[in-house]
């Protein structure tokens, strides 16, 4: 009778939000079904599948990544079955409701947390007491009143999907680009009930836990409690992902982190900007010195995998100042630096800078920045490509030695030049095969007067270590020319290598 649904980005993302709604349906839980799709599925097929359950009410979770496709699904549903009550919820429809097509098609929109509000609205609709207005503003529920959702991860979820958990909600910080800055503070779930739920998941076989807490290391006592829980259950399959703030790592927390074997912990660390003026402008309180010290400690003294985030396009940030931040960060050698392009989140306070810093965003999701007073559209385009190539080369782990040559003493400037050159040569940021990437890196290094043998050794070693099949052109050609220079026959070696390559083909990216 009631269907809860959303369009996830990937199959292995299981929606925690929908499971909260389901767990808190009360007497309506037995007549509520959860259906998850992937946004690449065809809207008609999604609608067909939803209608099979013969729902009277459909609740949809709407996010920045699925708004386009979800709008199509809702529009189709309303064409075919206008009698079905459509209820929307999620951050993308919690603000600026008057400006969105999807809101026009829907019957109701719950703004704010829907954990209890969705069930309450369903009750009213089913009892014939529907609200006379479309927008329903939900209050933040006391977390102790919520039924925890973890029992709604089924065996298939546990076997093949990421299991999201949360020990707390909200954030006390005020970074203006982020919707969590609208929270008054952070609230913990009742610790014993939460640990019981974790224990039950662990006993059911879950070993990969992704914590969605905005700042896991906010309350050190509670962070330690959770880490101790996992230290008692260590095994080689355990993998824990936490988002942490980088300037708050007291000794007790460091001691606990140090006790985890390499590869068990992954920390997602929002750096966003290392420019103090930009930090101040966007109300981000971050101690740069402590941040860099703690990152260094984590990299050198712990076995944690460090995924760090930077944002390009913030007000007051220029290409050069972003580059300075990138260069400071890369010196600490985190495993990954994700270069994100600023996105406009509906409701985020950053909008107050739109006029003064001439912030212009795409009107299409995900509403990425197009230009600012300090960064033109050309540079945003360059940095969008930079982010993509950096993922393929800098973050992929496939260019261990080659990356150092590509970056030289001026990592940001050199990689930007490389990125511009790759785009000039290929006109592409996607569908570039791995072997082609190695070829491009080799050619560019030679153009920068890199020693041919150095470049060959580094990239050939990386290519072999990557496990890719076939051979890039540069390995054929360079092998040939090296053999030629030492007096061995060039042509047969090249022919043989080319045969090998044409037999195996290039590996996909
Ligand atoms: S960016 Fe992180 S620290 Fe800042 S408000 Fe958002 S969640 Fe909190």
């Amino acid at each position: 009778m009631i269907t809860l649904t959303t369009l996830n980005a990937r199959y292995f993302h299981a929606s925690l939000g929908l499971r909260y709604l389901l767990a808190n349906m009360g007497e309506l839980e037995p007549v509520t079904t959860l259906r998850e799709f992937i946004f690449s599925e065809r809207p008609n097929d999604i609608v067909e599948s939803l209608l099979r359950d013969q729902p009277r009410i459909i609740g949809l979770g709407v996010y920045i990544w699925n708004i386009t496709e979800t709008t199509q699904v809702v529009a189709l549903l309303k064409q075919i079955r206008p009698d079905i009550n459509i209820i929307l919820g999620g951050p993308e429809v919690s603000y600026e409701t008057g400006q969105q097509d999807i809101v026009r098609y829907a019957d109701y929109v719950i703004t704010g947390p829907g954990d209890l509000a969705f069930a309450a609205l369903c009750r009213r609709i089913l009892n014939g007491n529907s609200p006379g207005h479309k927008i329903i503003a939900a209050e933040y529920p006391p977390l102790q009143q919520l039924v925890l959702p973890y029992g709604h991860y089924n065996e298939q979820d546990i076997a093949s999907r990421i299991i999201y958990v949360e020990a707390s909600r909200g954030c006390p910080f005020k970074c203006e680009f982020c919707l969590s800055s609208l929270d008054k503070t952070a609230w913990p779930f009742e610790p014993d009930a939460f640990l019981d739920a974790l224990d039950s998941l662990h006993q059911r076989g879950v070993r990969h836990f992704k914590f969605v807490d905005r700042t896991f290391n906010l309350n050190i006592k509670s962070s330690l409690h959770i880490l101790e829980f996992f230290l008692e259950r260590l095994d080689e399959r355990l993998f824990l992902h936490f988002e942490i703030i980088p300037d708050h790592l007291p000794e007790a927390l460091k001691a606990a982190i140090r006790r985890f074997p390499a590869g068990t912990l992954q920390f997602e660390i929002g750096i966003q900007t290392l420019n103090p003026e930009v930090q101040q402008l966007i109300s981000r309180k971050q101690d740069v010195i402590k941040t860099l010290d703690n990152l260094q400690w984590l990299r050198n003294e712990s076995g944690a995998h460090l995924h760090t985030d930077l944002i390009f396009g913030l007000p007051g940030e220029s290409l050069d100042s972003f580059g300075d931040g990138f260069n400071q960060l890369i010196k600490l050698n985190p495993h990954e630096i994700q270069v994100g392009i600023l996105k406009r989140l509906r409701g985020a306070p950053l909008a107050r800078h739109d006029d003064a810093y001439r912030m212009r965003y795409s009107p299409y999701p995900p509403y990425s920045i197009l230009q600012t007073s300090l960064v033109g559209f050309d540079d945003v385009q360059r940095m969008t490509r930079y982010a993509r190539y950096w993922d393929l080369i800098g973050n992929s782990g496939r260019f261990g030695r080659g990356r150092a040559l590509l970056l030289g003493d001026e990592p940001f400037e050199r990689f930007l030049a490389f990125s511009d050159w790759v785009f000039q040569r290929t006109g592409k940021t996607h569908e570039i095969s791995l072997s082609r990437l190695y070829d491009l890196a080799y050619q560019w290094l030679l153009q920068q007067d890199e020693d041919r043998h150095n470049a060959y050794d580094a990239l050939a070693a990386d290519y072999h270590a990557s496990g890719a099949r076939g051979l890039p052109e540069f390995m054929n050609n360079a092998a040939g020319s090296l053999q030629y220079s030492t007096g061995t026959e060039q042509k047969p070696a090249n022919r043989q290598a080319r045969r090998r390559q044409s037999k195996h083909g290039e590996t996909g990216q």
Side-chain angles (χ1 to χ4, degrees), residues 171 173-175 177-178 180-181 214-215 245 272 284:
C171 180
F173 299 109
K174 298 288 163 228
C175 317
F177 56 83
C178 173
S180 295
S181 65
R214 303 316 310 256
T215 40
I245 44 172
Q272 319 309 8
R284 183 172 170 84

Side-chain angles (χ1 to χ4, degrees), residues 116 128 249 307 394 419:
L116 300 178
L249 217 55
H307 171 108
S419 165

Side-chain angles (χ1 to χ4, degrees), residues 214-382:
R214 303 316 310 256
T215 40
F216 174 71
N217 56 336
L218 191 64
N219 178 334
I220 297 301
K221 202 170 143 207
S222 122
S223 317
L224 288 173
H225 209 166
I226 291 167
L227 292 180
E228 281 298 337
F229 169 91
F230 285 112
L231 281 166
E232 287 164 14
R233 290 163 181 78
L234 269 184
D235 66 29
E236 69 284 354
R237 285 171 50 220
L238 191 66
F239 181 79
L240 308 170
H241 174 106
F242 300 105
E243 282 187 41
I244 62 170
I245 44 172
D247 52 0
H248 186 50
L249 217 55
E251 286 306 320
L253 190 57
K254 285 181 176 171
I257 290 170
R258 211 188 250 121
R259 287 165 62 200
F260 282 87
T264 305
L265 298 179
Q266 173 164 281
F267 291 134
E268 184 171 339
I269 306 170
I271 309 294
Q272 319 309 8
T273 175
L274 286 167
N275 181 335
E277 282 164 30
V278 176
Q279 287 175 353
Q280 195 176 16
L281 196 64
I282 62 170
S283 315
R284 183 172 170 84
K285 288 200 165 63
Q286 184 172 303
D287 182 323
V288 171
I289 307 251
K290 269 194 196 163
T291 293
L292 298 177
D293 278 355
N294 286 340
L295 277 172
Q296 190 158 32
W297 183 88
L298 284 167
R299 189 63 174 100
N300 297 337
E301 306 288 330
S302 83
H305 180 96
L306 307 184
H307 171 108
T308 55
D309 293 317
L310 288 174
I311 298 179
F312 179 75
L314 288 166
E317 190 90 274
S318 65
L319 190 66
D320 288 346
S321 72
F322 179 86
D324 288 345
F326 185 93
N327 286 342
Q328 284 184 69
L329 185 54
I330 204 160
K331 271 194 201 141
L332 304 172
N333 197 23
H335 301 87
E336 290 176 65
I337 300 176
Q338 183 175 324
V339 176
I341 306 297
L342 178 67
K343 293 172 182 47
R344 186 182 88 84
L345 300 183
R346 294 181 190 276
L350 195 72
R352 75 187 179 100
H353 300 294
D354 283 1
D355 290 340
Y357 289 85
R358 298 200 298 280
M359 309 290 285
R360 299 289 177 266
Y361 298 91
S362 169
Y364 305 110
Y367 319 115
S368 298
I369 192 75
L370 297 173
Q371 62 185 35
T372 74
S373 57
L374 296 181
V375 179
F377 178 60
D378 285 359
D379 283 337
V380 173
Q381 286 285 90
R382 291 172 78 199

